[in-house]
Each structure stands twice: as structure tokens, then as C-alpha cells.
Amino acid sequence: MDGLIIGLDLCDAYTRLCCHEREKTWCLPTVICRKKDDDEWYVGEEAYAYTLVGEGIIVDKLVKMVMKDGTATLGGVKYEGTTLLKIYLKKILALAKEEFFSDEVKELVITLEKVEVKLMDALMYCADYLEIPRDRVHIISHTEGFVYYVLSQKKEVWNNQVAVFDLSEDSLHYHELKVQRGMKQMTVVAEDEALEESFNLDILNTPSGGKLADKILSSCAERLLSKKLFSSIFLTGKGFERQDWAGDFMKLLCSRRKVYMDQELFARGAAFKGMDYLHEKTSYPFICVCEGRLHSTISMKVLHKNRESQLIVAAAGDNWYESRSSVDLIVDNQDYVEFLVTPMDPKQKKLVKIPLEGFPKRPERTTRVGISVGFLDEKTMAVVLKDKGFGELFPASDAVVRQEVMI
């Protein structure tokens, strides 16, 4: 297949990149440096090398810089965080393009520790700079990357619950996946927890520190895994590059469970997801409920050809960042628009009414409302209602209602 399908795991400490069905992978520190005397840029270990010999000025924590609207002055020029991220990503993607002799990116799926709209918007601006069409760029959470990685394995790997411990430089994350059967459609529910027991990896450099880390992780595992049936456990992150310090933890995990190690777990999951975008029919026929995905279905009661039905505006399992819909409806004997919010537990469904404040009074069935729905995160719906009038008899007014709704 021509063109690359790239999974890219972007974190402040490191970036991991892999291409679907290609063996070579990359792991680089998320740092960039500009040479002092000219406009040349280097990333990863090369950036450190030029900085160590005094020829470059280095910038790290690019993700945090973008989130805080930070800037850095290099060679007398002030650069915004998003600009540095654009250059960094271009250099990273060039590694794969050169290795596999391809200039085309068919799909780019970026996975993040936490999906936040500000960072996601910035990455879309980066896509424009990289000349990759936005419809080929998708952003998912680590948890969703984990889901697609696991569901791409043999069924015995995910027949029961699956967990992953992610031990990075300054954080410890736990993800857990469960396949729910017996519903209309198979549903995968995955959760992520940032564990308070995290520690700096520097403590692993001494025997006493290693023992303490082993004790901490063993305590976490006992709490998180007890009374549950797991098919498999995965380990990822820099902290697990060696496990000689984690004897008790590994012994606990391996008790009647299969344990796997994969440092590119999230990036590989993103690449599997990227490949699926190219299929006319998905290879993953399930509803995925996790960070970055809607946990509820949003619908409206409508009357069409004298038949009442629910018009689905957004479905549980949709990517909230990509989920947008618009529809024009004529209100009948009501001065409000009503949404039905149905979570995974239908017993908790609720009605949300948004009054048409400021809309002109008209005879029944002569007000056409333009309804636009988007999402600020997986729990917040943004609704815009516009008066579109009703032909020449009742021209549109300037009436607009904007409201954020917790779902």
C-alpha cells in the first residue's frame, strides 16, 4: 500500500512513532534545538548532542508549553510553543518518510496521555503546516490507543478484563478494559486512573529505592487487581525498560495471568486505529466508551411523515472532538428545544430543555430553528440555536441561543 499509516504517541518526556505493518519504530525525547549560528533544527538525542557541545539551544516539555501558551527565544527569535511543535513533528515524521521512502501520510493518529481541546486544536494547526489534510488526522487518548491495541490481538488476550500499568518518568497510570456482551452491540468500556503512588524513576538507581518502588507497585496491584478475572496484563513506559527491581510486583502479576511488555503499546494502537479508517467496513464492530469518547447518546424527538421517532444527534462511543451535527427543525406548539440524554445505563436518562429566548412570536409551525451541536469534552455539549424564519412571510431574525449542557 502506498502512503504511511502512522501511530504517534506524543508525551512531554518522549515521543514514540510506528507505522502499520512496518517493523522499525522510533522513541525520541520530546525536545528540539536550534543551532546558534543558523536556522537548523534537531530533535531527540541529536538535540541533546548539539546542546552539549554548545552549538544549540534546547527546548523541552513542548506539550506543556503549548497548553500554557508559552514561548521560547532561540537565536534572538521568539517562538510560540505551537510553532516549535510544528517543527518538531515535521522532523519526527521525516524519519518515517525517509526510512520507508514515502512522502504521503495516508492516516496520522496521535495518542495523548490526556485529550484536551486546546492541545487538540494546536495539533490540527500543525497538520495544516505539515500539509496533511485534517480528515486524515485523528487524536485519541492513551486509553483508546490501549483499546485498539488489545482488540487487535487474539481473543484469548481480551476474553476477560485487561489492564495496563504505564510507568513513565514522573507518573504512574493504570488502564482497565472490559468487554460487555449480551447487548445489542458489543461494548468495550475502558477507564484510566492516574495513581497517586507515582514516583520519580531516579529512585530505581539505588537498591533501597528499587525496593521501595517494588513495594509501592505491589500495593497498587493488590488493590487494583483483586477479585477480578484478567486475561492479560500489559506493562509499558520507561520505568519498565528493566524489571530487575520489581520482583514482588512481577510475581504478583504473573500469578495465573499472562503478562506482556510493549513500549510502543499506545502508538501501535493508534496505528491499528489509523488502518481502520481506510476500511469501508470497520474491523472493530463495537461501541468504545473511554476517555475521548462520548459516554451518552444524544437524541431529539421528531415527527416525520406523521411518525414519531428519535433523531440521534450524537451516539455513545463517538469521538467527542470530531462529533458535530447540524439540523433544521420546525417547532410545533413549543417555545423550547428538547434533547434526550441516554447514558450506558438507560435508567439514568434525562431530558434537557433549552428555551428559545429572544425568538419572535409566530403562529404555530412557522419557526424554523437551525440546531448545531458540538462538544467541549466528553461531558459537555455546546448547543447553538438560530432563528431561520419561515420563508418570505416570516423572515429570519438575529435571535441566537448558545448554551453549554452537562451530559
Side-chain angles (χ1 to χ4, degrees):
M1 180 186 292
D2 294 332
L4 299 174
I5 300 159
I6 298 176
L8 188 133
D9 180 15
L10 178 65
C11 301
D12 251 337
Y14 62 84
T15 300
R16 299 184 190 274
L17 183 150
C18 68
C19 298
H20 185 70
E21 294 185 338
R22 308 290 178 107
E23 283 191 21
K24 185 170 176 63
T25 63
W26 291 265
C27 177
L28 298 91
T30 308
V31 296
I32 186 169
C33 103
R34 181 184 185 275
K35 285 191 77 173
K36 289 182 178 179
D37 300 329
D38 51 42
D39 192 26
E40 287 187 37
W41 297 86
Y42 300 92
V43 298
E45 298 295 348
E46 269 196 318
Y48 282 127
Y50 277 98
T51 304
L52 282 172
V53 297
E55 293 184 20
I57 307 165
I58 202 164
V59 181
D60 62 0
K61 300 192 183 304
L62 297 180
V63 173
K64 199 169 289 181
M65 180 180 285
V66 170
M67 289 299 296
K68 293 186 174 181
D69 294 319
T71 61
T73 301
L74 308 176
V77 180
K78 182 188 280 189
Y79 294 92
E80 293 182 351
T82 304
T83 302
L84 293 174
L85 186 59
K86 288 176 182 177
I87 300 168
Y88 175 78
L89 290 175
K90 186 172 185 177
K91 301 289 285 186
I92 291 288
L93 295 182
L95 297 173
K97 290 179 177 181
E98 291 168 9
E99 177 71 23
F100 301 123
F101 305 103
S102 176
D103 285 328
E104 183 186 9
V105 176
K106 274 197 172 295
E107 293 290 338
L108 171 61
V109 180
I110 302 171
T111 179
L112 305 171
E113 188 176 285
K114 186 170 180 59
V115 287
E116 297 179 275
V117 70
K118 188 171 186 176
L119 179 57
M120 297 165 90
D121 285 345
L123 287 168
M124 284 302 178
Y125 296 140
C126 292
D128 297 338
Y129 171 79
L130 296 167
E131 298 181 340
I132 304 173
R134 287 194 175 200
D135 62 356
R136 296 187 186 183
V137 180
H138 308 274
I139 304 166
I140 64 174
S141 64
H142 271 182
T143 312
E144 187 170 345
F146 163 53
V147 169
Y148 278 88
Y149 176 89
V150 169
L151 270 293
S152 298
Q153 312 303 316
K154 294 178 180 178
K155 191 174 181 179
E156 53 260 35
V157 171
W158 49 268
N159 203 34
N160 296 307
Q161 286 173 264
V162 185
V164 59
F165 287 89
D166 175 19
L167 180 58
S168 60
E169 282 77 353
D170 53 7
S171 67
L172 173 61
H173 280 258
Y174 174 76
H175 306 262
E176 189 174 289
L177 175 158
K178 185 177 183 180
V179 177
Q180 295 184 346
R181 299 177 179 85
M183 306 174 78
K184 286 184 179 179
Q185 188 174 1
M186 188 173 85
T187 301
V188 178
V189 178
E191 297 176 344
D192 162 48
E193 184 181 350
L195 301 179
E196 294 179 357
E197 296 92 337
S198 64
F199 49 83
N200 191 293
L201 296 186
D202 288 343
I203 73 169
L204 301 182
N205 295 330
T206 64
S208 59
K211 287 181 180 179
L212 176 60
D214 190 17
K215 187 175 181 181
I216 290 170
L217 281 187
S218 297
S219 176
C220 289
E222 286 177 353
R223 172 173 61 86
L224 294 164
L225 306 180
S226 65
K227 299 180 181 178
K228 294 178 184 177
L229 185 60
F230 285 86
S231 296
S232 52
I233 309 284
F234 288 86
L235 303 177
T236 191
K238 188 174 178 62
F240 292 125
E241 286 181 348
R242 44 178 266 260
Q243 301 100 45
D244 55 339
W245 55 271
D248 290 343
F249 174 65
M250 294 302 295
K251 185 177 178 181
L252 195 155
L253 292 191
C254 294
S255 175
R256 291 172 290 129
R257 305 182 188 96
K258 292 183 178 179
V259 179
Y260 303 91
M261 163 69 71
D262 193 333
Q263 293 291 6
E264 284 80 36
L265 186 151
F266 300 123
R268 290 187 199 279
F272 281 124
K273 174 75 172 169
M275 184 64 198
D276 198 53
Y277 279 114
L278 297 177
H279 292 159
E280 201 167 305
K281 186 178 180 182
T282 181
S283 301
Y284 305 89
F286 58 80
I287 297 172
C288 177
V289 179
C290 66
E291 185 191 357
R293 295 267 157 178
L294 294 176
H295 293 198
S296 300
T297 294
I298 317 298
S299 61
M300 304 176 70
K301 185 167 69 175
V302 297
L303 195 66
H304 182 60
K305 294 181 179 179
N306 294 320
R307 291 186 64 182
E308 192 175 280
S309 62
Q310 288 290 332
L311 174 67
I312 294 178
V313 176
D318 286 352
N319 181 311
W320 65 259
Y321 185 76
E322 297 178 359
S323 182
R324 298 175 184 85
S325 59
S326 297
V327 63
D328 288 358
L329 296 177
I330 296 171
V331 293
D332 183 14
N333 198 31
Q334 64 185 53
D335 58 356
Y336 58 86
V337 169
E338 187 173 72
F339 295 94
L340 176 64
V341 179
T342 307
M344 298 305 295
D345 180 359
K347 293 178 182 178
Q348 297 181 6
K349 64 184 177 182
K350 63 179 180 180
L351 289 172
V352 175
K353 287 185 179 181
I354 302 178
L356 297 174
E357 294 178 357
F359 275 56
K361 299 294 182 184
R362 299 190 181 107
E364 291 305 321
R365 299 190 183 183
T366 58
T367 296
R368 185 164 55 104
V369 182
I371 303 169
S372 298
V373 174
F375 297 87
L376 304 180
D377 55 43
E378 63 207 38
K379 296 180 181 177
T380 312
M381 178 172 69
V383 181
V384 178
L385 309 176
K386 290 184 179 180
D387 174 32
K388 292 198 169 183
F390 195 80
E392 294 180 2
L393 288 175
F394 301 99
S397 69
D398 295 329
V400 178
V401 175
R402 293 181 174 85
Q403 190 164 321
E404 293 178 11
V405 179
M406 297 300 293
I407 58 173

